[in-house]
Amino acid sequence: MRKSLIAVAIGAALTVAACSDKDAAQSPATTEVQAEQTQTAAAAGEFNQSNPFYAESTLPFHAPDFTKIKFEHYEPAILAGMEEHSKEIEAIASNPEPATFENTIVAMEKSGALLSRVGAVFGNVAGSAGNDDTRALQVTMAPKYAAHSDNISLNADLFARVKAVYENRDQHEGEALRLIEDTYKGFVRAGAELNEDEKARIREINSELSSLTTEFRNNLMTLVDENLVVVDDKAKLAGLSESHIAQLAKAAEAKDMAGKYVISVTNTTRQSILASLENRELREQIWKASALRGSGNTATDNRPLVKQMAQLRAEKAQLLGYDNWGAYVLEQSMAAKPEAAQQMLRDLVPAVVSNVEAEMAEIAKVIEAEGGDFEVKPWDWAYYAEKVRAEKYALDSNEVKQYFEFNRAVEDGVFYAMNQLFGITFEERNDIPTYADDVVVYEVKDVDGESLGLFYGDWFNRDGKRGGAWMSSFVSQSQLLDNKPVILNNMNITKAPEGEPTLLSFDEVSTMFHEMGHALHGMFSDVMYPSLAGTSVSRDYVEFPSTFQEDWTLNPKVIANMAKHYETGEQIPQELLDKVMAAKNFNMGYDTLEYIAAALLDLEYHTLSVEEAASIEDVNTFEQAALTRNGVAVEAVPPRYRSNYFAHVFAGGYSAGYYAYMWSEVLAADAFKYVQENGGLTLENGQAFREAILSKGNSKDPMQQYIDFRGQKPTVDALLERRGLTTPKID
């Protein structure tokens, strides 16, 4: 996968990937398309110097100036950006001079600045603080973006020049050679070698897929409101803290339901509130609101979209000469083939299911001891697992939270660890405007004091923000364009009521470290060409640097600096910390199985032939059959994402690639163990990781990057240890 300058714009404006920003294409408009874009731009509003996107921002690092940007500026700027980019590409394609690296490949890298500028801002705002207007504009723009991209990728004259440079690639080396090969492959994979009829069908498919993914993503926002769980009686909320209940009451007030309590479902099947609620009937209601959303239980039904996308992707893959969509997508991944990803996951199933059965037996004992006469259901698991955890480790999750206050977790945890490992510092910039009041901007400075770029922390949930956690960027690093990175991290932490501290779960703190790993992949990028910068790597590599950072959460130095009681400032007791560490892999059978089930479901959809995809009659039936076929159909442990709200693969960039988290974890676990064996949290180790991995982007083969750092290819041993699915060997 490649991330050209136009890809950054398209990817950001239409879909921010689930965990980090990636993907897209490149492509010259015909005269008719240019004329249509100009007319639409005129209809949307005149684009001139009064539009803040007209020129680069004058703020530090070209950060977007949100004091000037208004919603009405987006559409005319996007359309003008398409028109300007089309002219730039046409000039490259029609250049009478022989094709060279500079006048073709580099010229393309420099094109599309306006579209990239506005696309990055619009995409990030739509995902982090969206509303009906931004969603409507996404729907309008989706097919236009798709057409614009196709006009570049399927332009015969442009491809002829790219091919000419590719055929003379032996004149180049290093990053330039990598860019030439990547660009050429990108055109071929987009359909540049197809005949005109086939190209026309590719255009139609791309347009349809763009519209469908946008509709799916917007439906997810609608489904949150359609699946609200409203509670009238406070007594039903027994088990929740008073602070949590107050948050639910505040949510109800925001929905004009004062006096009631509103529970919203988040993006995964599992809902964290289920671990605390004592009322089994309410737990079941919440779980069903989550698991059945988008399946026809309310007005918004995503099942038809899932079927259409599976069919269109299969058809596109066939047109491009591949057996299925998975074969097409994974061709440029570390796994190379979907069979390799499937085998990796299936090999884990027996051991994981065995762990699940043991966990289920422990839960059943608790249910029986409390006089329950029922088998554990999905809505019971988290509640009773928490009881098992408390009994087994005497661990109270609410007690643990008292030692992870939000600000301390950020500054004395994440920032401190990154300083110890890389020597960097984060200095708050109150002079940089943001798109929401609770977004914080930091200037990141290197070990020598030189400015690296800006980091935006958007950690709290809000209406209009999509679920989950992810990294993105407003500006990507590039020596060619003289750009330093402007990076954004998003999470969905629930902010405590006014005047109270926001206390985090250990998992939330770990997620902060994970997303910072993505952020530093963008921040430390040190490449010439924007298409190869930062997270522009294959899906099964992009999660490696972020997963690697997670394990610093429990580093003794980091814990000592971060984990202090929010009221007294006292260090977390060693006994409690020991319990946290001992419980770290608790419920790992469940956690792993729900993930593997979702990853295998993704691959089942995307290894279908055209005929098989067309034969799907009912999405729910297909899903159940797929889970059964893979040996992961355990009623009490449903997939982390069911088809109807699987945003990663039907609204993000992870189609046929959700397995990547596990694949990347193999690399991360192996690398972290290696670092631990060689000194742990030291500047020397951090600089070695930065030089070999974080600075390289896609300028070098990913496995070679890893070997450069580690000295060998990874093994799965450290992964099994990390997840507690095997007993570590004792020398």
Side-chain angles (χ1 to χ4, degrees):
M1 298 180 183
R2 82 183 236 97
K3 185 174 73 172
S4 64
L5 194 56
I6 179 57
V8 175
I10 294 174
L14 297 180
T15 174
V16 181
C19 207
S20 70
D21 66 340
K22 288 184 77 273
D23 278 348
Q26 47 229 304
S27 310
T30 60
T31 303
E32 292 79 10
V33 172
Q34 290 178 3
E36 179 186 349
Q37 290 172 349
T38 302
Q39 291 165 5
T40 311
E46 186 178 358
F47 181 72
N48 54 38
Q49 292 183 2
S50 66
N51 190 303
F53 294 109
Y54 187 85
E56 277 191 324
S57 167
T58 57
L59 292 180
F61 306 97
H62 306 303
D65 190 347
F66 288 105
T67 64
K68 298 178 180 177
I69 297 170
K70 295 181 173 59
F71 173 75
E72 58 264 28
H73 294 137
Y74 290 122
E75 186 171 2
I78 291 170
L79 294 170
M82 288 183 184
E83 182 181 5
E84 177 183 285
H85 190 223
S86 295
K87 291 177 179 177
E88 292 169 337
I89 291 294
E90 185 57 41
I92 297 168
S94 61
N95 188 342
E97 298 294 325
T100 66
F101 176 65
E102 289 293 333
N103 70 18
T104 302
I105 307 297
V106 174
M108 289 171 59
E109 291 292 293
K110 293 179 177 179
S111 68
L114 169 57
L115 187 56
S116 180
R117 193 159 60 236
V118 61
V121 176
F122 174 63
N124 281 309
V125 171
S128 302
N131 53 37
D132 290 343
D133 288 337
T134 59
R135 287 190 281 276
L137 184 55
Q138 284 180 306
V139 171
T140 300
M141 289 293 108
K144 296 181 186 297
Y145 267 113
H148 179 67
S149 178
D150 286 339
N151 286 335
I152 300 173
S153 298
L154 302 178
N155 180 280
D157 292 338
L158 183 62
F159 177 59
R161 295 182 66 82
V162 170
K163 187 175 182 180
V165 176
Y166 176 76
E167 289 174 344
N168 290 288
R169 63 190 181 282
D170 57 356
Q171 300 175 13
H172 302 274
E173 59 183 8
E175 192 177 334
L177 177 60
R178 180 83 172 170
L179 179 63
I180 292 168
E181 293 177 338
D182 207 37
T183 303
Y184 174 76
K185 289 175 187 175
F187 272 87
V188 172
R189 286 171 53 78
E193 294 185 322
L194 300 179
N195 63 41
E196 292 307 312
D197 288 342
E198 291 168 333
K199 286 182 180 179
R201 181 55 186 152
I202 286 288
R203 287 176 180 272
E204 292 172 355
I205 291 173
N206 288 345
S207 179
E208 290 180 64
L209 283 172
S210 180
S211 295
L212 289 169
T213 53
T214 301
E215 183 180 356
F216 189 99
R217 181 171 51 257
N218 288 342
N219 282 355
L220 295 180
M221 303 294 290
T222 303
L223 285 166
V224 171
D225 287 333
E226 289 182 358
N227 287 277
L228 292 174
V229 177
V230 181
V231 179
D232 297 313
D233 183 2
K234 182 180 178 180
K236 290 184 178 181
L237 301 175
L240 301 184
S241 67
E242 285 299 321
S243 176
H244 196 166
I245 293 172
Q247 291 169 10
L248 301 182
K250 187 176 181 181
E253 290 176 5
K255 300 289 184 184
D256 295 324
M257 289 185 276
K260 299 183 179 182
Y261 307 89
V262 165
I263 300 167
S264 299
V265 296
T266 53
N267 58 332
T268 56
T269 303
R270 183 202 312 202
Q271 300 296 309
S272 61
I273 196 172
L274 299 181
S276 303
L277 279 173
E278 296 174 7
N279 188 300
R280 189 170 189 242
E281 183 180 335
L282 180 57
R283 292 202 307 266
E284 180 178 359
Q285 184 182 354
I286 294 168
W287 185 84
K288 287 183 175 178
S290 173
L292 300 181
R293 68 191 125 141
S295 65
N297 67 318
T298 61
T300 303
D301 191 346
N302 269 345
R303 289 175 298 177
L305 306 186
V306 171
K307 289 166 61 175
Q308 287 175 267
M309 280 190 269
Q311 293 172 31
L312 288 168
R313 286 169 176 170
E315 183 186 353
K316 180 176 177 178
Q318 184 182 71
L319 276 170
L320 293 168
Y322 297 85
D323 291 338
N324 51 61
W325 183 253
Y328 167 71
V329 171
L330 269 65
E331 180 186 48
Q332 292 192 300
S333 69
M334 296 185 79
K337 295 180 180 180
E339 292 81 6
Q342 288 172 313
Q343 192 61 51
M344 182 266 291
L345 296 168
R346 288 169 179 161
D347 284 349
L348 292 169
V349 169
V352 172
V353 170
S354 177
N355 275 262
V356 166
E357 290 171 348
E359 292 166 3
M360 197 181 303
E362 290 184 314
I363 287 173
K365 288 179 183 178
V366 175
I367 293 174
E368 183 180 358
E370 293 188 353
D373 185 22
F374 54 86
E375 292 184 359
V376 62
K377 296 292 184 181
W379 48 88
D380 297 317
W381 190 290
Y383 179 71
Y384 287 101
E386 195 58 37
K387 287 177 176 285
V388 173
R389 186 203 301 265
E391 180 180 324
K392 201 168 186 178
Y393 304 102
L395 183 64
D396 181 347
S397 58
N398 286 324
E399 182 185 3
V400 174
K401 285 184 177 182
Q402 295 178 45
Y403 294 91
F404 293 102
E405 187 271 327
F406 168 76
N407 291 307
R408 184 162 274 158
V410 173
E411 296 171 11
D412 298 341
V414 179
F415 290 176
Y416 170 79
M418 299 306 104
N419 172 262
Q420 294 296 297
L421 194 60
F422 302 111
I424 59 174
T425 54
F426 294 76
E427 298 181 6
E428 189 170 346
R429 292 289 302 261
N430 295 314
D431 58 322
I432 306 291
T434 63
Y435 52 86
D437 291 341
D438 50 9
V439 178
V440 185
V441 183
Y442 301 87
E443 183 173 350
V444 183
K445 293 193 174 179
D446 211 338
V447 65
D448 61 0
E450 181 181 350
S451 292
L452 285 168
L454 294 179
F455 170 76
Y456 288 60
D458 186 355
W459 290 290
F460 298 108
N461 61 13
R462 68 175 66 88
D463 285 344
K465 191 178 196 179
R466 70 181 183 89
W470 68 97
M471 163 267 185
S472 189
S473 61
F474 288 117
V475 180
S476 293
Q477 180 272 331
S478 167
Q479 296 168 10
L480 178 72
L481 304 178
D482 196 25
N483 281 342
K484 290 189 174 184
V486 179
I487 305 297
L488 172 67
N489 267 180
N490 266 282
M491 287 181 63
N492 271 277
I493 295 168
T494 299
K495 187 186 294 187
E498 188 72 29
E500 296 184 26
T502 297
L503 305 180
L504 307 181
S505 68
F506 180 77
D507 284 346
E508 287 174 324
V509 178
S510 180
T511 300
M512 276 187 175
F513 277 79
H514 179 100
E515 296 307 329
M516 179 55 69
H518 282 306
L520 294 186
H521 204 178
M523 188 65 66
F524 286 150
S525 178
D526 189 17
V527 302
M528 176 65 69
Y529 306 107
S531 291
L532 303 177
T535 58
S536 302
V537 296
S538 64
R539 284 289 175 204
D540 51 10
Y541 192 71
V542 75
E543 296 299 333
F544 156 44
S546 52
T547 306
F548 172 83
Q549 299 297 347
E550 285 181 32
D551 287 348
W552 296 116
T553 313
L554 277 175
N555 176 271
K557 286 179 66 177
V558 176
I559 282 289
N561 201 61
M562 164 178 65
K564 299 177 182 178
H565 196 280
Y566 77 97
E567 287 181 320
T568 67
E570 292 180 5
Q571 188 75 44
I572 186 171
Q574 188 60 46
E575 182 183 2
L576 181 58
L577 181 59
D578 289 343
K579 292 175 184 178
V580 171
M581 297 181 73
K584 186 171 180 284
N585 286 326
F586 174 75
N587 212 40
M588 190 54 75
Y590 181 103
D591 291 347
T592 307
L593 184 60
E594 67 162 4
Y595 164 76
I596 289 177
L600 285 167
L601 180 61
D602 167 32
L603 289 166
E604 286 282 338
Y605 276 113
H606 295 116
T607 50
L608 297 173
S609 66
V610 173
E611 294 74 23
E612 289 168 338
S615 69
I616 296 176
E617 294 183 2
D618 177 72
V619 164
N620 294 341
T621 301
F622 176 87
E623 179 181 292
Q624 186 59 38
L627 297 175
T628 301
R629 188 162 50 248
N630 284 280
V632 293
V634 179
E635 182 191 7
V637 188
R640 185 171 297 174
Y641 300 96
R642 297 190 63 198
S643 307
N644 310 313
Y645 49 90
F646 205 162
H648 286 75
V649 302
F650 294 116
Y654 278 75
S655 60
Y658 190 61
Y659 78 93
Y661 288 95
M662 185 68 76
W663 191 282
S664 292
E665 191 178 346
V666 171
L667 300 170
D670 187 73
F672 192 81
K673 184 177 182 181
Y674 169 73
V675 167
Q676 290 299 93
E677 292 171 346
N678 288 275
L681 187 67
T682 67
L683 190 59
E684 182 181 4
N685 280 332
Q687 296 294 38
F689 190 75
R690 172 179 175 176
E691 172 58 29
I693 307 294
L694 299 178
S695 69
K696 292 296 186 285
N698 193 31
S699 65
K700 196 172 191 178
D701 175 74
M703 184 56 77
Q704 189 57 54
Q705 290 183 30
Y706 189 84
I707 293 171
D708 289 347
F709 171 70
R710 175 71 170 86
Q712 64 182 49
K713 292 184 178 181
T715 69
V716 299
D717 297 345
L719 168 69
L720 294 173
E721 285 185 27
R722 186 179 193 268
R723 286 188 166 250
L725 299 175
T726 188
T727 302
K729 295 178 181 179
I730 300 176
D731 295 330

